[in-house]
């Protein structure tokens, strides 16, 4: 039995890995479980698509990162989760029993309850590489009628993907491709940060990217997206930035969920009413702030709180750190053109130095995750 099972390789868990490498938790075994061993650093994916990084530079080997933190790694996808029994069963049939668990999903964990069957998710290195290939293939096949790309979600990732996609297509002489972002919310950033939204909307308009607010996706087909208003949008390629959504193994797990299938969390990042289950990142919702927006900066802070509380619980004490959402998290969006959009406090600016600052932080985390292993082990949970 593993003492602590980290389920998923979402950004908060990458932060936990880096924290545990610097300060290994006291007693007991820790295992990281993910469906893919090779992960793409989420903050560097837009830079890779825009041509700024080679694929190898954005690669995170989760077995290597787990080993650097003194823990084990298991590759496998969860079929069922039984919180009461402290047990997950993988698609391979292998079962893992645990005392403590933390759930932080990556972009590959697309919600099965949403019909996104033909949408490209962003999480594993293979998915990112496949997306780059699909964009290049689309650029290489001009047609008399317009070629169209639809991106689901105008969150931080969705905006960056749109800008990076435009940059990649421009370099390949396919500037005429129509890019549309669909967002179910009626306003960017939930309508709470109007100066930020205005700046981002201007940047998107400058790059001829269509933003449709108040319009979600009800169905994704092979060559179309059926919008929430019933209209059908032709699509040669669909990218999903809408997050993991409702993660199927949570249904029937015994853990508390909101109406959208998100895991409900206390401020300590413990599941509501549970002393043994934690969570962070997309696919979770805080009881005290159910509409709080997820961002890389927020997920990084959640990861730091999660790391401290998990280490405290492993040491035999109750968790004390609390995560309080901020209305204005410092946000850096890769604009795809050698600049970044900086959103912080009352400031909303676009500059090259903001991109250099973002690149420095992203590279620093990847390099720390690639530190010399301390003797962790890797196993496969898939057949």
């Amino acid at each position: 039995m593993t003492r602590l099972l980290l389920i998923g390789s979402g950004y908060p868990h990458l932060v936990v890995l880096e924290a545990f490498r610097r300060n290994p938790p006291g007693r007991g075994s820790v295992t990281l479980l993910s469906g893919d061993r090779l992960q793409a650093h989420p903050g560097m994916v837009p830079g890779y698509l825009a041509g700024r990084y080679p694929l190898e530079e954005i690669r995170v080997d989760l077995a290597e990162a787990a080993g650097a933190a003194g823990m084990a790694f298991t590759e496998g996808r969860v079929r069922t989760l039984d919180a009461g029994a402290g047990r997950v069963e993988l698609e391979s049939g292998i079962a893992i029993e645990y005392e403590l668990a933390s759930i932080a999903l990556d972009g590959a964990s697309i919600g099965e309850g949403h019909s996104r069957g033909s949408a490209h998710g962003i999480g594993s290195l293979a998915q990112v590489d496949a997306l780059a290939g699909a964009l290049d293939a689309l650029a290489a096949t001009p047609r008399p009628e317009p070629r169209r790309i639809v991106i689901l979600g105008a969150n931080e990732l969705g905006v960056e993907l749109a800008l990076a996609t435009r940059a990649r297509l421009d370099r390949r002489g396919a500037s005429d491709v129509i890019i549309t972002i669909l967002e179910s919310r009626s306003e960017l950033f939930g309508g709470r940060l109007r100066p930020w939204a205005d700046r981002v909307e201007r940047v998107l308009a400058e790059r001829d990217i269509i933003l449709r607010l108040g319009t979600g996706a009800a169905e994704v087909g092979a060559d179309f997206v059926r919008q929430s208003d019933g209209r059908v949008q032709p699509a040669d390629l669909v990218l999903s930035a809408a997050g993991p959504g409702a993660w199927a193994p949570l249904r029937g797990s015994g853990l508390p969920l909101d109406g959208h299938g998100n895991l409900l969390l206390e401020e300590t990042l413990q599941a509501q009413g549970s002393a043994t289950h934690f969570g962070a990142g997309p696919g979770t919702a805080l009881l005290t702030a159910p509409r709080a927006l997820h961002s890389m900066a927020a997920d990084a802070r959640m990861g730091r709180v999660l790391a401290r509380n998990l280490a405290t619980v492993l040491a035999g004490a109750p968790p004390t750190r609390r995560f309080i959402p901020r209305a204005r998290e410092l946000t850096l969006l890769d604009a795809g053109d050698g600049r970044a959009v900086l959103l912080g406090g009352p400031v909303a600016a676009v500059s090259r130095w903001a991109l250099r600052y973002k690149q420095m932080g992203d590279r620093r985390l990847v390099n720390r995750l690639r530190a010399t292993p301390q003797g962790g082990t890797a196993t496969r949970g898939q057949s």
Side-chain angles (χ1 to χ4, degrees):
M1 175 184 291
T2 188
R3 173 80 168 126
L4 167 63
L5 181 64
L6 301 177
I7 302 172
S9 52
Y11 194 60
H13 276 174
L14 296 185
V15 175
V16 169
L17 288 179
E18 198 276 329
F20 280 11
R21 183 193 64 81
R22 288 184 286 109
N23 297 295
R27 62 187 181 86
S29 61
V30 181
T31 298
L32 172 65
L33 170 65
S34 177
D36 297 279
R37 172 172 175 161
L38 297 182
Q39 175 97 3
H41 183 301
M44 300 173 79
V45 169
Y48 163 69
L49 294 176
R52 194 168 303 112
Y53 302 115
L55 189 64
E56 176 61 24
E57 191 169 354
I58 72 171
R59 177 185 65 85
V60 176
D61 186 321
L62 294 175
E64 178 183 283
M71 64 179 69
F73 172 74
T74 295
E75 183 176 358
R77 288 180 170 79
V78 177
R79 176 186 293 149
T80 61
L81 188 157
D82 185 337
R87 185 177 186 272
V88 297
E89 182 179 317
L90 307 185
E91 291 180 354
S92 63
I94 292 175
I96 301 175
E97 295 184 344
Y98 61 83
E99 295 180 32
L100 302 168
S102 175
I103 300 170
L105 305 175
D106 60 56
S109 303
I110 300 299
E112 294 179 3
H114 194 306
S115 181
R116 302 182 197 161
S118 300
H120 282 264
I122 306 298
S124 71
L125 200 69
Q127 283 182 316
V128 174
D129 191 32
L131 173 57
L135 290 173
D136 293 345
L138 183 65
T141 54
R143 295 194 308 269
E145 68 274 13
R147 292 161 291 172
R148 299 175 183 271
I149 294 175
V150 177
I151 296 173
L152 309 181
N155 53 16
E156 181 178 338
L157 176 59
V159 169
E160 286 191 300
L161 282 178
L163 293 167
T165 295
R166 176 63 76 202
R168 191 176 189 93
L169 294 174
D170 284 352
R171 291 203 332 271
R172 283 156 175 76
S175 301
D176 59 329
V177 175
I178 298 172
I179 302 174
T180 302
I181 306 176
L182 301 182
E183 171 55 52
S184 58
R185 294 174 183 261
S186 59
E187 295 181 271
L188 286 179
F189 307 111
R192 297 193 294 275
L193 302 170
R194 192 64 248 172
W196 288 19
D198 288 343
R199 188 55 161 154
V200 171
E201 287 175 14
R202 286 201 301 272
V203 171
L204 291 173
E206 289 168 3
R207 306 306 302 279
D208 293 322
I209 295 168
I210 301 168
L211 175 63
R212 291 185 178 169
L213 297 171
T215 305
E219 180 185 0
V220 176
D223 57 359
F224 71 91
V225 174
R226 190 180 307 280
Q227 299 176 177
S228 54
D229 58 9
R231 289 182 294 178
V232 175
Q233 165 90 284
D236 296 279
L237 192 64
V238 181
L239 284 59
S240 178
W247 189 50
L250 284 176
R251 296 195 295 267
S253 67
L255 293 171
L257 309 178
D258 68 7
H260 302 287
N262 297 311
L263 178 64
L264 287 171
L265 301 177
E266 307 280 359
E267 288 183 341
T268 57
L269 302 183
Q270 288 172 293
Q272 180 186 22
S274 174
T276 56
H277 291 80
F278 291 75
T284 66
L286 286 168
L287 287 162
T288 54
R291 292 176 58 82
L293 300 176
H294 287 285
S295 67
M296 288 285 290
D299 286 352
R301 284 203 305 116
M302 288 186 98
R304 291 192 288 271
V305 171
L306 183 64
R308 291 295 296 270
N309 283 345
L310 289 175
T312 299
V313 173
L314 285 172
T320 57
R321 293 297 180 102
R322 297 183 179 275
F323 176 79
I324 309 298
R326 296 173 182 167
R328 295 175 180 265
E329 293 275 7
L330 175 64
T331 301
L332 292 165
L333 305 178
D334 192 328
D337 61 356
R339 302 178 299 165
V341 183
L342 183 148
L343 307 172
V347 177
V350 184
S351 69
R352 294 186 180 278
W353 68 261
L355 180 63
R356 289 195 292 270
Y357 181 74
K358 172 178 168 55
Q359 289 177 310
M360 181 176 63
D362 289 338
R363 283 174 168 143
R364 184 182 297 125
L365 178 60
V366 170
N367 289 336
R368 287 198 296 253
L369 290 170
R370 291 176 175 173
T372 303
Q374 297 179 1
T377 60
T379 62
R380 288 187 63 87
Q382 294 175 294
S383 53

